[in-house]
Amino acid sequence: MAQLLAVVGGGDLSTHAVLAAEALRKAAGRRNTPITLELRGKGASGNPLPDAAIAEARAVLLVGEGDLGEARFGALHRARAAIEDVLTDVNAVFDRLGAGAEAPSPAASAAATPKKIVAITSCPTGIAHTFMAAEGIQTAAQALGHAVRVETQGSVGARDALTAPEIAAADIVLIAADTGVDRARFAGKRVYATNTKAAIRDGKGLIATALAEAQMQPAGGTEATADGPARPAAAEKQAGAYKHLMTGVSFMLPFVVAGGLLIALAFAFGGIDAMKPENAGTLGYALGEIGAKAAFALIVPALAGYIAYSIADRPGIAPGMIGGMLAANLQAGFLGGIAAGFIAGYTTRFLNRHIRLHKNLEGLKPVLILPLLATTVTGLLMVYVVGVPVAAVLAALTEWLKGMQGASALVLGLVLGGMMAVDMGGPINKAAYASAAALLSSGVDAPMAAVMLGGMTPPLGIALATRLFPSRFTAPEREAGGAAAVLGAAFITEGAIPFAAADPLRVIPSMVAGSAVAGAIALTSGVTLKVPHGGLFVLPIPNAVTNVTGALIALAAGTLVTGLLVGLLKKRAA
């Protein structure tokens, strides 16, 4: 009979559970260790452990979440592991089991009594990571017996917004965000902040940590008191320049999308000369005015204003936006906007921490003193120090990008496309995306095409591989391939994450190669894109994409490369 038992529970993530069970089976075979497996969870099926096997077993490994039927094991030695641990390093999990020591997950040490949790999740685009993090928190809280309400925030605003009574009744506020979140409404509550990745990877551990380490949020926003910042210590460590930049990008994107589409529609209705003065009064001219002189004019101020907001909360918005407008007027573009945002944000935060007023005059700080002083400092630095050299750098960069051809276009396309597939929505992916989106405000729209096509390729290539090489995938994976195709068509690169997590050494290089090919073909064939999102759904919009045929060829080539490499490199599924 088997000496080891393993129960794998995936909750709603049946694909991950199946992959983890198979990894355990193969590892046990390599070690010549008899093992009996049971797979539990919604959408999963497996043989239940026989009573005789439980009676004779020496240990049991409990993997995942949900109801694992733990009561039937009595005093049998146990070890615990997350599904991600098994998929990442199955040998380490077996070593833990063999060591003879109970290894409870961090969630096991959370308070036993049910808690009321309110949470906010947010990522720069407010699409995949926002909702994946929300699902991770909801699933973990349900498994731990806590009540939870999650508000999701993105470029389209907040969904399922938290109400004042819900916030008042909550034991803690959990913020899992890659962008800045306004905390003024959480004054007097215990708050814990982290990024979306923590909620996606280990929701139970995150909730346990939040319950233990959440800190009181003072009144008055992020920098409310002279005694210290309102951010929890863990959040303060994670809120670096990247997060501030991503906050600015997330608020900037709607201006880029709206402006780009309106300009494209202007050309569609009025032709290539629609925005010339002689066509004033026509529909095409009006749409062009709205898109180019209103929406696009606000891109840099919005970027700078919300970078400053992420750093210094609401008092930073006015100095940041004014600095961004100066950057635009000085022809410093998005680079100047980034500089203005950081100058305004850190100046405002410094002044807020060091200016001391009588309590009766504290109300003057956010509406008079901070905006006036921070705007003055930011404006003078932009006019006399930062603006001119940054404008020169931007002009040189713009000319180089517009004049790209041959080898330079090929290399840049390879780099931008490949970056989109390296971490599928992580920092490298977002760095490429944010750079391309910002360049749109300076009239450089070729990099955006390489970035979007490179980001669509991974899930589309995976979907193709599940059809061309079905033997390389389990039945749940083949079923998930259809969903990956839909996500890829909508430019949601995260649709490939489950497949990459299951076999990273083979899948990720295949995806990077396909995305690099797509990006290189796009730039060398002159494909441009005026909007930063939408996937295949923007192709029918007149003038949104230049050289639609080239874009389709690039996407097809990248998808084919990824699909073939994945199918050839992956081993046959059990």
Side-chain angles (χ1 to χ4, degrees), residues 479-500:
E479 183 179 348
V486 176
L487 295 173
F491 183 33
I492 300 177
T493 315
E494 289 87 346
I497 288 177
F499 299 90

Side-chain angles (χ1 to χ4, degrees), residues 57 72 145 165 258 298 307 325 335 385 387 419 511 522 530 564:
R72 57 190 158 149
L298 290 170
I307 289 174
M325 183 60 73
L335 291 178
V385 179
M419 288 174 70
M511 294 191 301
K530 291 183 173 61
L564 292 177

Side-chain angles (χ1 to χ4, degrees), residues 72 114 123 179 185 188 218 257 260 286 321-322 334 372 403 406 484 502 511 553 573:
R72 57 190 158 149
C123 71
T179 61
R185 54 182 166 156
V257 174
M321 285 194 169
I322 294 170
F334 78 94
L372 174 61
M511 294 191 301
I553 291 173

Side-chain angles (χ1 to χ4, degrees), residues 355-457:
I355 293 178
R356 301 286 187 266
L357 295 176
H358 188 275
K359 63 180 181 180
N360 294 331
L361 299 177
E362 276 291 319
L364 293 176
K365 282 175 64 175
V367 297
L368 174 61
I369 297 174
L370 294 180
L372 174 61
L373 295 181
T375 298
T376 302
V377 172
T378 303
L380 292 174
L381 287 175
M382 291 301 299
V383 171
Y384 290 111
V385 179
V386 177
V388 174
V390 171
V393 172
L394 180 67
L397 175 64
T398 301
E399 288 302 314
W400 177 73
L401 289 171
K402 287 184 175 179
M404 279 190 315
Q405 56 184 351
S408 60
L410 177 68
V411 171
L412 183 62
L414 287 170
V415 171
L416 288 176
M419 288 174 70
M420 294 300 292
V422 169
D423 53 3
M424 294 156 288
I428 297 175
N429 171 289
K430 287 294 188 290
Y433 178 78
S435 300
L439 285 168
L440 284 176
S441 64
S442 300
V444 182
D445 45 15
M448 192 71 245
V451 162
M452 190 168 81
L453 293 171
M456 295 166 64
T457 297

Side-chain angles (χ1 to χ4, degrees), residues 462 496 499-500 503-512 562 566 570:
I462 289 292
F499 299 90
D503 194 358
L505 295 180
R506 296 180 180 88
V507 173
I508 291 179
S510 302
M511 294 191 301
V512 171
T562 293
V566 168
K570 275 183 69 68

